[in-house]
Amino acid sequence: AFLFALCWVVPDLAGAALYTYYAVVLLLMWIAYSTCNVPYNALVSVMTLDATERSRLSGYYNVFTFIGILLSATLAKPIVAASPTERIGWQSVGMVFGAVTLVALLMTVATVKERFAADQSANYKARDIVRLLWGNRPFMVLSAVALCALIAFTLMGIMLTYLFKYGLKSEALLPVALGALLGTSMVFVPIWVMANNRIGKKASYMLSLGFYALGLGSVYFIHTADLWVILPVCVVLGIGGSGVQVGVWALLPDTVEYAHWKLGARTEGVQYGFYGFVVKLGASVSALIAGAGLALSGYVANAEQSETALMGLRLLGSFVPAAFMLTAMLALSFYPITEMMHKGILSELNR
């Protein structure tokens, strides 16, 4: 929380000194974030072994995630506007959001109870970590699925601004589209939780990936700044995106019991740490694809774009991420853990 607040402080530095300040602060902040985020995400696997309860926890997690996104998007500008200067305003944003984060995390520490803890004395070497990860086939499959889905999510998010600014020439509609997408996502979280319990987590996850791929493909055919054309696509993306988020967090804890059953060790920290790496890898790859695609298409910043550049923007915001979603669906077909198999694993572990 402290390092996050420092990111919004503008010191009286210039040139290399200012660059060094932000480089160090950002590096330390992301290290602290990973240190905090890995055990936080791993909590689901030690709070309950029940598949239905895990789906519900995933639902709560995602509902509050979407609420946080909406609140941060809507409250930042009013805080800045109420401050004496813009500089002080953004520093206030950093301090307020950092304080809220600190309180939320302290509440988690104080109230959440671990019912199924890993062996705290375990001391894994590098080769042990590789063996535990590679030997956990369901987890590696799920990591591949998540990587492809994250690349699609992030790439589409990067390209949205370009599509609205240059493709539709209506940048003012972007907040409306994002609001519709995020609002739909939040509304459909409990529906996807029910789907997990009715048709199974893998089937529900597969369906949500398909929804999102359909929405991404539809983006290519938006050529007019007409909300009646844009909003239905945002709704489909919101429905699919909601299910993708619920699905991955509902399935990940099951792979912990698989590792315990197959490899003889509960490895929450190892698995969720590696998943954090997958998240960062997905963001890096999507940024690389976006940069390379923009360069190859002939994009020129803040200028009238050529037809080739506009075609590149549409492809990067539609069919390219859709291809990654379809790849994720193919990878998910190899995920072996069913509800029946998970019950059997728990039964054997309890003997």
Side-chain angles (χ1 to χ4, degrees):
F2 173 71
L3 290 167
F4 175 82
L6 283 184
C7 290
W8 300 88
V9 173
V10 183
D12 293 325
L13 301 172
L18 184 62
Y19 174 85
T20 302
Y21 169 82
Y22 281 114
V24 171
V25 170
L26 283 169
L27 178 63
L28 292 175
M29 188 202 73
W30 283 114
I31 291 173
Y33 173 82
S34 297
T35 304
C36 178
N37 202 44
V38 169
Y40 174 80
N41 288 331
L43 281 173
V44 174
S45 64
V46 296
M47 289 170 66
T48 178
L49 300 179
D50 184 81
T52 301
E53 289 183 351
R54 284 177 169 177
S55 292
R56 288 174 181 166
L57 285 172
S58 176
Y60 287 125
Y61 173 90
N62 283 282
V63 164
F64 281 98
T65 296
F66 291 126
I67 291 174
I69 293 171
L70 290 171
L71 287 177
S72 61
T74 55
L75 294 179
K77 290 292 182 70
I79 293 174
V80 174
S83 302
T85 66
E86 186 175 6
R87 180 173 178 173
I88 294 174
W90 286 112
Q91 290 176 2
S92 300
V93 167
M95 288 187 287
V96 170
F97 288 1
V100 171
T101 301
L102 179 61
V103 170
L105 290 173
L106 289 175
M107 287 175 60
T108 302
V109 172
T111 59
V112 173
K113 305 299 180 184
E114 298 182 33
R115 296 174 59 196
F116 308 95
D119 182 4
Q120 302 296 320
S121 63
N123 184 19
Y124 299 119
K125 297 179 180 179
R127 64 175 179 271
D128 298 321
I129 293 174
V130 172
R131 177 183 63 83
L132 291 169
L133 289 173
W134 192 252
N136 191 340
R137 178 171 169 261
F139 175 74
M140 296 307 294
V141 169
L142 204 56
S143 296
V145 174
L147 176 62
C148 292
L150 286 163
I151 291 172
F153 266 120
T154 312
L155 182 58
M156 195 268 184
I158 292 171
M159 297 311 301
L160 270 180
T161 300
Y162 295 92
L163 289 170
F164 276 85
K165 182 175 181 178
Y166 299 108
L168 302 179
K169 300 185 186 304
S170 186
E171 203 171 358
L173 288 180
L174 179 58
V176 179
L178 287 175
L181 196 157
L182 290 172
T184 303
S185 295
M186 188 165 62
V187 168
F188 269 81
V189 166
I191 296 174
W192 284 113
V193 172
M194 288 189 290
N196 280 353
N197 297 331
R198 288 288 184 88
I199 65 176
K201 291 187 283 190
K202 177 180 176 180
S204 179
Y205 192 20
M206 185 74 78
L207 185 61
S208 66
L209 290 168
F211 259 102
Y212 203 80
L214 176 64
L216 288 170
S218 302
V219 170
Y220 179 84
F221 301 100
I222 299 177
H223 299 286
T224 177
D226 184 348
L227 280 177
W228 294 107
V229 175
I230 296 170
L231 290 181
V233 175
C234 291
V235 168
V236 173
L237 287 169
I239 294 172
S242 176
V244 171
Q245 292 299 318
V246 170
V248 69
W249 291 112
L251 286 172
L252 271 172
D254 295 350
T255 64
V256 174
E257 281 80 54
Y258 179 90
H260 191 187
W261 169 70
K262 186 76 173 179
L263 305 171
R266 287 187 65 90
T267 55
E268 294 94 337
V270 171
Q271 291 176 225
Y272 281 88
F274 182 80
Y275 185 77
F277 166 76
V278 169
V279 171
K280 293 174 177 59
L281 179 62
S284 302
V285 171
S286 59
L288 179 63
I289 293 172
L294 289 171
L296 290 172
S297 66
Y299 163 78
V300 179
N302 300 316
E304 190 71 23
Q305 304 301 318
S306 65
E307 285 299 319
T308 303
L310 290 174
M311 175 65 75
L313 295 181
R314 287 201 297 272
L315 288 173
L316 286 169
S318 59
F319 289 139
V320 174
F324 278 99
M325 275 296 176
L326 293 175
T327 304
M329 294 176 70
L330 177 62
L332 184 60
S333 66
F334 294 97
Y335 182 78
I337 301 178
T338 62
E339 278 69 20
M340 188 64 69
M341 180 180 179
H342 187 248
K343 287 180 181 178
I345 289 173
L346 292 180
S347 178
E348 289 194 29
L349 288 174
N350 288 330
R351 288 177 185 172

